[in-house]
């Protein structure tokens, strides 16, 4: 019986006792001979210091080339501009040709340079076609197909006559549930269920044996991608999702969300005791703006508290789901005792829709910016000649002066010199071409991993984990009086914070496992499909996105694909060299500084137009350059990409590629004729370089300059 038939039998019968398989974690050369794990690890596998994040692939077996992109057709029938490799800027799902091309490119270009893969869900098509409703079997088949694609690229090639199923892959791959990986979408009951049992069979090579019971209960697990040193935690975010009507948050002990958060607390404490670090991943991000949220508020509150208390352990977190790129900062000052216990009578934030319109996406991003405008910034401090860049990471104990200096006051506002008031969430764009297909490769710090000494470890002890489950925080343990008062009447176990003598964790201070940079790759399907030659229409704000080329007649060929160009992913930007974001690394402080720059509004006279810049500074005179250099010396990266005061209200009509760093000035600096001024922004001009780059990249550079100005200017 073929393996797929076995799996389908398991699904429909509830069978889940197939022969165990276990994903092999990657190790540094120096760890091969250590402990009893040596014979089960991949010997001699060298670390590269990079990993891949891929999300929201959404393969669609019913996709038809040159079909209509209108909502009633969904690229399944009719005639229209749906390309051979996908219908970019639409709500159509991914053709199998795009899936195959993506994995082929990964195989040929980055396979041998990454250490592990974070695969963050939504691996089946949307249920958007009423004429072809999804089925349980189709969703399973789509996920099995993607496991096969990963096996084709990352499976061991020398498994002839090898009946041991525990070494199928050459690197760890960590999957998660997406809200479209179940039926009906968004709705998932606590397990054990047909879904947790079925995915346990599908993902069995990826889930450590000792964690399969927990996965069957709720879909959560973690993998030690570098044994004894680095673990990736998969959260089943469907139990936190505000759209999951089968559950009710994380406040009540009877709720599966409470149980999952408690599991996370216990495991992170255990990871801390072993001297390890952790990456958090999931599908639905903890999105939260002024009026919208993607998680239940009680879950967001606990998650933010957990990230605060385990800030010495967590390297960072990443999610998908939204299909557009952005980042989030969880502010620990918004942790509220009543909200975290579920005692609030009303919810001030409505649940975010799953399928956002262009307008609702714009509103969400604008609200994030409004929140970031309140982040304490360095402005004003450089006037006193104070350096407020993150300090040298030597961790000497600092002596406080009798009276706080302005620098110390600034540090207090952001949670110390490393910005520990905040925690970071990165949300990646998708493979499904709602804009352009996108993947992301991260580089992380491997300092010390090639030495002869492993980082401190402790052996697993199930009894210690049991003790942690019932552990209560000691009132005098590294918690200030205000924090103790805040949780005096808490209804849950508050996690232990890091010791006051502990240095900041890798999310805050450069050290082993700190994320250094990422490369954002995208595939320009308009160019690759090579079958539309008319000028695109602007993307409209309706719920279903039929794309820039809706209504266009493609140049049809009897052999679809014969005219297409070679598929490739190009680098959209690399944070290591990018000047628009100016991130010297991916620590929280770098992102807090960027958020502060994005949140700055420019004050201009009513007659002036907004600044129109993409990724580079406009041509400025020598005095302005000198001022920028002086500011940069004073505050490090915080002023690296700011626009000089004298040019905040200048306007240049024509911009070339937003990622080319080239800005073309029109003759006479004529004002843009079609630009619409937003109400309420007569004296607060929105466009600055960091903000423009942020919104342009959110949509993978598929929205033109005028459209961005109209909606974000």
């Amino acid at each position: 019986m073929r393996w797929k038939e076995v799996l389908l039998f398991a699904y429909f019968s509830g069978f889940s006792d197939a022969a165990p398989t276990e994903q092999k974690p990657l190790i540094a050369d120096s760890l091969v001979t250590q402990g009893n794990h040596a014979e089960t690890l991949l010997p001699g596998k060298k670390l590269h210091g990079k990993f891949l994040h891929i999300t929201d692939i959404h393969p669609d077996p019913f996709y038809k080339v040159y079909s209509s992109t209108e909502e009633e057709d969904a690229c399944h029938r009719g005639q229209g501009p749906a390309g051979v490799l996908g219908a970019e800027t639409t709500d159509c799902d991914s053709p199998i040709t795009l899936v195959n091309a993506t994995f082929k490119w990964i195989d040929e270009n980055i396979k041998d340079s990454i250490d592990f893969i974070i695969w963050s869900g939504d691996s089946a098509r949307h249920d958007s076609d009423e004429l072809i409703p999804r089925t349980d079997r189709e969703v399973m088949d789509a996920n099995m197909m993607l496991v096969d694609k990963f096996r084709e690229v990352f499976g061991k090639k020398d498994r002839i006559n090898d009946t041991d199923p525990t070494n199928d892959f050459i690197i760890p791959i960590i999957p998660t549930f997406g809200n479209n990986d179940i039926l009906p979408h968004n709705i998932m009951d606590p397990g054990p269920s047909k879904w947790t049992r079925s995915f346990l069979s599908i993902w069995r090579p990826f889930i450590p044996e000792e964690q399969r019971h927990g996965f069957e209960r709720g879909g959560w697990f973690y993998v030690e991608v570098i044994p004894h040193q680095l673990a990736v935690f998969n959260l089943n975010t469907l139990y936190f999702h505000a759209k999951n009507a089968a559950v009710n948050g994380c406040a009540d002990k009877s709720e599966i969300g409470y149980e999952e958060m408690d599991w996370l607390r216990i495991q992170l404490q255990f990871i801390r005791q072993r001297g390890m670090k952790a990456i958090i991943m999931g599908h639905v991000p903890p999105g939260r703006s002024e009026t919208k949220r993607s998680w239940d508020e009680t879950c967001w509150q606990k998650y933010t508290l957990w990230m605060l208390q385990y800030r010495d352990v967590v390297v960072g977190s990443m999610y998908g789901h939204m299909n557009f790129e952005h980042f989030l900062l969880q502010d620990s000052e918004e942790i509220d005792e009543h909200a975290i216990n579920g005692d609030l009578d009303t919810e001030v934030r409505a649940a975010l829709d799953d399928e956002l319109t262009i307008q609702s996406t714009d509103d969400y991003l604008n609200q994030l910016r409004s929140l970031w405008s309140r982040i304490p910034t360095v402005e004003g401090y450089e006037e006193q000649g104070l350096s407020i860049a993150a300090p040298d990471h030597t961790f000497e104990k600092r002596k406080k002066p009798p009276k706080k200096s302005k620098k110390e006051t600034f540090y207090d506002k952001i949670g110390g010199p490393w910005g520990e008031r905040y925690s970071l969430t990165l949300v990646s764009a998708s493979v499904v071409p709602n804009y352009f297909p996108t993947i992301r490769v991260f580089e992380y710090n491997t300092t010390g991993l090639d030495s002869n000494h492993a980082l401190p470890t402790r052996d697993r002890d199930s009894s210690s984990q049991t003790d942690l489950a019932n552990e209560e925080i000691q009132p005098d343990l590294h918690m200030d009086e205000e924090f103790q008062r805040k949780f005096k009447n808490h209804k849950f176990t508050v996690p232990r914070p890091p010791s006051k003598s502990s240095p900041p964790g890798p999310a805050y201070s450069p050290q082993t496992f700190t994320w250094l940079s990422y490369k954002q790759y995208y595939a320009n399907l308009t160019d690759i499909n090579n079958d539309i030659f008319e000028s695109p229409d602007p993307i409209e704000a309706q719920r279903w996105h039929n794309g820039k080329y809706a209504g266009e007649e493609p140049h049809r060929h009897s052999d679809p694909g014969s005219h297409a160009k070679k598929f490739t992913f190009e680098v959209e930007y690399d944070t290591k060299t990018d000047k628009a974001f100016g991130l010297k690394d991916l620590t929280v402080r770098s992102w807090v500084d960027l958020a502060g720059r994005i949140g700055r509004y420019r004050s201009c006279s009513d007659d002036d137009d907004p600044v129109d810049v993409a990724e580079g500074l406009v041509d400025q005179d020598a005095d302005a350059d000198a001022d920028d250099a002086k500011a940069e010396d004073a505050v490090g990266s915080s002023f690296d990409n700011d626009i000089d005061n004298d040019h905040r209200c200048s306007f240049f009509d024509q911009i070339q590629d937003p990622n080319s760093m080239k800005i073309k000035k029109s003759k006479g600096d004529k004002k843009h004729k079609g630009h619409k001024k937003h109400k309420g922004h007569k004296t607060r001009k929105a466009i600055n370089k960091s903000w423009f780059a942020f919104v342009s990249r959110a949509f993978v550079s598929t929205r033109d300059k005028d459209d961005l100005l109209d909606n974000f200017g």
Side-chain angles (χ1 to χ4, degrees):
M1 184 181 292
R2 293 175 301 173
W3 74 270
K4 286 188 177 181
E5 292 173 341
V6 172
L7 179 59
L8 289 172
F9 172 75
Y11 167 61
F12 288 109
S13 67
F15 173 72
S16 62
D17 297 323
T21 62
E22 183 172 356
Q23 179 167 293
K24 288 298 180 295
L26 191 66
I27 60 171
D29 293 343
S30 60
L31 301 181
V32 174
T33 60
Q34 292 188 10
N36 297 327
H37 296 274
E39 60 188 26
T40 65
L41 300 175
L42 294 178
K45 187 69 176 177
K46 183 178 178 61
L47 289 173
H48 302 283
K50 295 179 180 178
F51 66 90
L52 169 67
H53 182 202
I54 187 168
T55 190
D56 293 80
I57 301 174
H58 289 290
D60 184 356
F62 301 100
Y63 182 99
K64 290 185 178 179
V65 178
Y66 300 145
S67 61
S68 169
T69 60
E70 298 296 331
E71 183 174 9
E72 60 271 17
D73 298 316
C75 290
H76 292 163
R77 55 193 160 268
Q79 295 185 353
V84 173
L85 286 155
E88 70 275 22
T89 73
T90 76
D91 277 346
C92 292
D93 287 312
S94 300
I96 304 303
T97 52
L98 174 59
V99 177
N100 292 336
T102 296
F103 278 89
K104 184 175 186 291
W105 187 90
I106 291 172
D107 187 20
E108 295 174 350
N109 292 275
I110 62 174
K111 167 189 173 182
D112 296 325
S113 63
I114 57 176
D115 300 332
F116 56 92
I117 298 171
I118 289 177
W119 170 24
S120 54
D122 264 12
S123 302
R125 70 180 174 100
H126 293 89
D127 202 4
S128 54
D129 188 347
E130 294 181 355
L131 299 182
I132 312 178
R134 300 193 309 164
T135 64
D136 293 357
R137 178 164 183 167
E138 181 196 332
V139 171
M140 298 298 171
D141 283 347
N143 275 273
M144 287 189 288
M145 186 261 295
L146 290 181
V147 171
D148 278 346
K149 299 308 295 184
F150 279 112
R151 183 177 283 106
E152 287 175 13
V153 179
F154 296 100
K156 293 188 69 175
K157 307 302 182 185
D158 56 350
R159 297 185 63 250
I160 300 175
N161 299 323
D162 181 4
T163 58
D164 180 5
T166 66
N167 57 355
D168 288 356
F169 292 87
I170 60 175
I171 61 174
I173 300 169
I174 305 92
T176 194
F177 281 105
N179 62 309
N180 287 288
D181 293 325
I182 54 175
L183 264 72
H185 82 288
N186 292 333
I187 308 302
M188 186 172 189
D189 290 299
S193 68
K194 66 178 182 181
W195 294 109
T196 58
R197 291 192 181 102
S198 298
F199 276 91
L200 180 58
S201 296
I202 296 172
W203 294 340
R204 187 168 286 265
F206 307 139
I207 303 171
E209 182 175 5
E210 67 271 17
Q211 299 197 54
R212 290 172 189 161
H213 177 76
F215 182 89
E216 191 172 358
R217 168 60 177 157
W220 52 71
F221 66 98
Y222 72 87
V223 175
E224 292 188 24
V225 293
I226 303 178
H228 310 298
Q229 300 191 60
L230 179 66
V232 175
F233 278 75
N234 160 55
L235 299 182
N236 182 359
T237 56
L238 300 189
Y239 293 142
F240 310 149
H241 192 15
K243 288 289 187 178
N244 186 359
V247 297
N248 188 27
C250 300
D252 195 315
K253 287 186 177 181
S254 64
E255 286 294 329
I256 190 72
Y258 182 105
E259 184 178 336
E260 182 172 5
M261 281 293 181
D262 214 41
W263 168 83
L264 180 62
R265 173 187 65 82
I266 294 167
Q267 300 305 324
L268 287 178
Q269 180 63 28
F270 194 53
I271 289 291
R272 175 189 278 161
Q273 289 182 348
R274 296 177 61 199
M276 294 177 61
K277 305 301 177 185
I279 293 172
I280 308 296
M281 64 161 287
H283 180 66
V284 181
R288 190 172 182 264
S289 66
E290 292 174 319
T291 63
K292 298 289 185 179
R293 59 186 169 85
S294 55
W295 283 15
D296 181 273
E297 180 66 13
T298 60
C299 300
W300 184 92
Q301 291 276 336
K302 275 194 175 179
Y303 180 79
T304 302
L305 176 59
W306 271 220
M307 295 303 99
L308 173 68
Q309 300 298 81
Y310 291 113
R311 62 190 181 276
D312 58 323
V313 174
V314 176
V315 180
S317 61
M318 57 185 57
Y319 299 83
H321 179 64
M322 306 289 280
N323 296 337
F324 57 90
E325 170 201 340
H326 61 293
F327 67 95
L328 302 164
L329 294 172
Q330 287 78 232
D331 185 352
S332 62
E333 289 200 358
E334 293 197 28
I335 299 172
D336 180 88
E337 179 184 9
H338 299 290
I340 204 169
N341 286 325
D343 294 336
L344 294 180
D345 294 331
T346 59
E347 174 55 65
V348 297
R349 295 174 179 85
L352 273 169
D353 291 333
D354 282 327
E355 311 305 327
L356 297 177
T357 65
I358 289 293
Q359 185 59 56
S360 58
T361 302
D362 292 354
D363 290 344
Y364 172 77
L365 294 176
N366 276 309
Q367 287 186 22
L368 286 182
R369 189 189 189 199
S370 179
L371 289 175
W372 295 340
S373 70
R374 305 167 197 168
I375 289 177
T377 66
V378 299
E379 288 180 330
Y381 290 94
E382 60 94 16
E383 295 175 2
Q384 287 80 32
L386 297 173
S387 173
I388 59 168
D392 183 32
H393 305 282
T394 52
F395 313 128
E396 289 100 348
K397 188 174 181 180
R398 294 184 297 273
K399 294 181 179 180
K400 291 188 176 181
K403 185 177 181 180
K404 288 186 178 180
S405 66
K406 295 225 178 238
K407 180 166 64 173
E408 288 176 318
T409 300
F410 173 77
Y411 286 160
D412 285 347
K413 289 181 179 179
I414 65 170
W418 297 280
E420 292 176 286
R421 165 179 167 179
Y422 301 96
S423 58
L424 172 68
T425 292
L426 297 182
V427 184
S428 292
S430 57
V431 171
V432 67
N434 290 165
Y435 305 105
F436 282 141
T438 304
I439 60 175
R440 186 177 279 184
V441 175
F442 285 79
E443 182 178 357
Y444 65 96
N445 190 326
T446 58
T447 301
L449 294 182
D450 57 351
S451 67
N452 294 323
H453 301 284
L455 297 178
T457 63
R458 294 191 182 184
D459 294 332
R460 290 177 180 266
D461 183 348
S462 58
S463 63
S464 66
Q465 295 196 55
T466 302
D467 293 340
L468 287 171
N470 300 313
E471 176 187 56
E472 286 289 341
I473 188 75
Q474 300 301 314
D476 59 346
L477 184 66
H478 319 311
M479 295 173 65
D480 58 36
E481 294 181 1
E482 181 181 355
F483 198 89
Q484 292 181 44
R485 289 195 301 269
K486 197 170 190 177
F487 291 97
K488 184 178 180 180
N489 299 314
H490 58 270
K491 300 178 181 178
F492 57 92
T493 301
V494 178
R496 290 178 177 269
S499 166
K500 282 189 175 182
S501 62
S502 298
Y508 298 91
S509 168
Q511 58 191 269
T512 306
F513 299 127
T514 294
W515 295 346
L516 302 175
S517 63
Y518 65 77
K519 281 186 181 179
Q520 183 90 339
Y521 291 93
Y522 77 107
N524 187 335
L525 291 189
T526 304
D527 182 60
I528 295 170
N529 283 328
N530 194 29
D531 53 13
I532 297 288
F533 303 102
E534 302 296 330
S535 298
D537 294 326
I539 300 176
E540 297 181 1
Q542 68 266 23
R543 175 170 291 276
W544 173 271
H545 306 152
N546 53 13
K548 283 187 174 183
Y549 303 101
E552 298 287 350
E553 183 65 23
H555 291 249
R556 296 174 177 274
H557 298 262
S558 57
D559 180 15
S562 61
H563 59 292
K565 298 180 181 179
K566 181 179 179 181
F567 181 89
T568 187
F569 280 98
E570 308 170 54
V571 177
E572 183 185 12
Y573 67 98
D574 182 347
T575 62
K576 187 182 295 185
T577 57
D578 171 53
K579 293 184 179 180
F581 280 178
L583 297 166
K584 62 180 180 180
D585 53 32
L586 303 185
T587 58
V588 170
R589 175 65 191 275
S590 293
W591 290 99
V592 169
D593 289 346
L594 173 60
R597 282 183 274 124
I598 287 173
R600 293 178 193 163
Y601 291 87
R602 304 303 178 190
S603 298
C604 307
S605 67
D606 291 350
D607 294 331
D608 287 330
D609 286 298
V611 172
D612 190 4
V613 295
E615 293 208 4
L617 292 174
V618 297
D619 294 334
Q620 300 185 16
D621 55 38
D623 290 340
D625 290 338
D627 290 343
D628 282 347
K630 180 180 178 182
E632 181 175 350
D633 289 340
V635 298
S637 64
S638 300
F639 281 88
D640 184 42
N641 297 286
D642 253 352
I643 299 169
D644 163 58
N645 287 339
D646 294 337
H647 295 79
R648 287 177 178 177
C649 301
S650 60
F651 182 83
F652 299 99
D653 190 41
Q654 309 235 345
I655 295 181
Q656 296 177 352
D657 177 6
N659 293 302
S660 69
M661 294 301 299
K662 297 177 181 178
I663 299 179
K664 183 177 179 181
K665 186 187 298 186
S666 63
K667 293 182 179 180
D669 293 349
K670 293 181 180 179
K671 294 181 179 180
H672 172 55
K673 295 180 180 180
H675 177 64
K676 302 175 183 178
K677 290 188 177 181
H678 275 266
K679 295 180 179 179
H681 283 288
K682 290 183 178 180
T683 58
R684 296 179 70 200
K685 303 302 180 180
I687 291 294
N688 66 42
K689 182 185 56 177
S690 299
W691 172 234
F692 190 97
F694 175 74
V695 294
S696 178
R697 291 167 175 178
F699 305 105
V700 201
S701 302
T702 58
R703 293 177 67 175
D704 62 33
K705 177 198 66 175
D706 293 344
D707 183 24
L708 293 177
L709 284 172
D710 288 344
N711 291 281
F712 300 103

